[in-house]
Amino acid sequence: MEDFTYKNTKYRSAVVVNGMSMAGPRAHFRGMGLSNEELRKPFIGIINTHNEMHPGHVHLDKLAEQVKAGVSEAGGVPFEINTISICDGFTQGHAGMCSVLPSREVITDSIEVYVNAHMLDGLVLLGGCDKIVPAMLMAMLRINIPAILVTGGPMMPAVYQSKSYATYELKEMAGKLLKGEISKEEYEEMEGIMSPGPGSCAMMGTANSMSIAAEAMGLTLPGCAGAHAVAGKKKRIARQSGVRIVSLVEENICPRDIVTQEMLELSARVCVSVGGSTNITLHYPAIAKEGRLHMTMNELGEISKTTPYLAKIKPSGVHTMLDFDEAGGVGAVLKALSGMADLDLMTVNGKTHRQNADRLTSWNQEVIRTVEHAYAPEGSIAVLHGNLAPKGCVVKQSAVVAQMRKHTGPARCFECEEDAVKAIYEGAVKDGDVIVIRNEGPKGGPGMREMLTATAALVGMGYSETVALITDGRFSGATRGPCIGHISPETSQRGPIAALQDGDRISIDIDGGSLSVELSEDEIERRLKKLPEFQYKITEGYLYRYAREVSSADEGAVLK
């Protein structure tokens, strides 16, 4: 081996191993215990977001062991690499939420930087929650080397007095406590059981919506999205993913080979058919951009219009993610949609969606309905336009009661979420009101905070069927009721929402696709011109850089 050639040059990692000048890296590898034989094998990065302060990721160290075992079994060399993962649950209702959506870009960039610096040959990515899964999908498509995603899996549902609950319902119980409908002791007892173990929150929130999206994009093994965090099935999928990545490297099958425009649209259709979160309108455009494809908020709205609503999972219904998994999961949804979508698209396991779905042994059509017996003719989200949202806004229509799909009421304006929450709990909101929360957009927030504390307060105080809420911020996937977010342009960019005053008559028409205020364009412009110049709330650090460079919500809040 006089020329010091250890590795076939078809592997990216050959540049780190081959040649006399690479003696230093080879010495490092040998110092870490690698043999000459291992230097010849493909190097597989295990990108792990394991985190001891995150219930959705606290178990990923164990899944990583399974992945590494699979990689070694298949003839690769695994290297575990970590990056950050923020838990939305810890950041609700305070300034910490400003950092959550911006973390998506940090995760994506960190993966790109490491993988391209160390010239890894393939990747298995482990993540499970709201911004982490989309960040990993973005990274996979940006870097475009052989890669497979293992999502961490949902948390088991909580059981209290023989009834299943998800974590978000605890926030709603705060209103019941204040109204005297439950005792302090009952509330504390529920606190102790609402998060029963590891995994993403047990509902069709953003985490599980995006895990379903990833499987429907063909970038996970079949059944991965529904396999719960504590299930043996999840461990098997992790190990099988480690085995499969070595074959993907040998065959040079990359994410962009799988995620075509057609596959992206199929994935979106699956997502809205099961009650997917409004946050998908931020993540799909960002993912599409990295894959050199297109998917706008308006395009998602059009897909939802032509997609039947097949599964009512909490918070939109009574079924849990465990019910969804046991009913057949993504495979059953694909079978249900087979008449209106092309399933003959190749996935990461080398088989088509149709081949994978045909292997299902059961499909519970009470939980995942057929198209003919759909809950509704449209999917979970509706995109609205009007003089309050010239560039659009979004609502999770699957969680809105019939009588609030069309509503007109007086504006109650608040300059931040905290002020609105205080007013709700103090009983200062009246039936028929339209709460306006502004200065919470991508630039103005900064970081476009979730308004879960406000929406949960509305439910807990009994306003979910009588009061609407509109904001340039965003919502948790746990949100239910007539809550409209992502209003674009946002307040900081002098969108019409900035012109609103208490008492202005706001009209919401979900079926008609509109959000408007009973003001003339001249009056809106007159009010906007009187507003002071926008000032960034944060003027240093990452959030300042983010606020300066981030696009509007209708474009996915991506960095320019």
Side-chain angles (χ1 to χ4, degrees), residues 6 104 145 189 206 247 312 383 388 450 503 547:
Y6 289 81
R104 184 185 70 182
I145 65 171
E189 187 178 355
T206 307
S247 298
K312 269 195 170 185
V383 174
L388 263 183
E450 285 184 354

Side-chain angles (χ1 to χ4, degrees), residues 32 38 45 63-64 115 135 145 162 189 198 213-214 235 335 379 405 412 432 443 497 525 528 546:
M32 292 187 292
E38 286 173 309
L63 287 185
V115 170
I145 65 171
S162 302
E189 187 178 355
K235 294 177 183 177
K335 287 177 78 73
R405 293 182 68 85
R412 290 291 313 281
K443 285 184 177 292
I497 187 175
E525 284 301 314
L528 291 175
Y546 179 88

Side-chain angles (χ1 to χ4, degrees), residues 66-92:
Q66 296 293 332
V67 174
K68 288 187 282 187
V71 169
S72 298
E73 176 187 328
V77 181
F79 296 95
E80 188 173 351
I81 302 122
N82 290 88
T83 189
I84 66 166
S85 57
I86 292 175
C87 175
D88 291 44
F90 285 106
T91 64
Q92 296 288 352

Side-chain angles (χ1 to χ4, degrees), residues 143-346:
I143 302 165
N144 201 38
I145 65 171
I148 189 166
L149 178 62
V150 179
T151 52
M155 183 184 292
M156 291 294 286
V159 178
Y160 180 70
Q161 296 180 352
S162 302
K163 183 181 176 183
S164 292
Y165 287 89
T167 317
Y168 73 92
E169 291 173 285
L170 187 61
K171 281 186 174 289
E172 297 177 357
M173 291 297 164
K176 295 183 183 295
L177 176 63
L178 289 173
K179 292 166 69 177
E181 295 178 10
I182 60 173
S183 68
K184 180 176 181 288
E185 290 72 25
E186 287 176 300
Y187 189 72
E188 289 181 341
E189 187 178 355
M190 295 182 81
E191 277 188 28
I193 58 93
M194 279 294 188
S195 185
S200 53
C201 294
M203 60 182 177
M204 193 59 74
T206 307
N208 289 317
S209 298
M210 291 309 302
S211 293
I212 286 168
E215 183 175 336
M217 278 181 209
L219 293 179
T220 78
L221 292 186
C224 188
H228 278 49
V230 297
K233 180 167 70 169
K234 180 62 74 178
K235 294 177 183 177
R236 295 195 300 274
I237 287 172
R239 190 179 186 109
Q240 290 160 5
S241 296
V243 171
R244 178 60 185 160
I245 188 59
V246 177
S247 298
L248 289 172
V249 170
E250 297 300 338
E251 298 165 26
N252 194 31
I253 297 173
C254 300
R256 289 186 205 160
D257 298 324
I258 294 168
V259 186
T260 61
Q261 185 66 34
E262 193 173 16
M263 182 69 95
L264 189 70
E265 292 172 7
L266 170 62
S267 170
R269 195 174 296 280
V270 169
C271 204
V272 297
S273 78
V274 297
S277 164
T278 52
N279 282 310
I280 70 171
T281 64
L282 294 170
H283 300 318
Y284 268 93
I287 292 164
K289 178 176 177 286
E290 300 296 352
R292 302 175 184 176
L293 305 170
H294 61 86
M295 181 67 72
T296 64
M297 181 168 70
N298 288 333
E299 287 173 316
L300 282 164
E302 291 302 312
I303 288 171
S304 190
K305 279 184 182 179
T306 59
T307 303
Y309 182 30
L310 304 179
K312 269 195 170 185
I313 311 300
K314 285 176 174 284
S316 299
V318 297
H319 292 132
T320 66
M321 284 302 299
L322 186 61
D323 296 327
F324 177 77
D325 184 42
E326 292 174 348
V330 172
V333 178
L334 288 166
K335 287 177 78 73
L337 294 172
S338 62
M340 56 191 308
D342 181 9
L343 303 190
D344 296 314
L345 302 173
M346 192 61 63

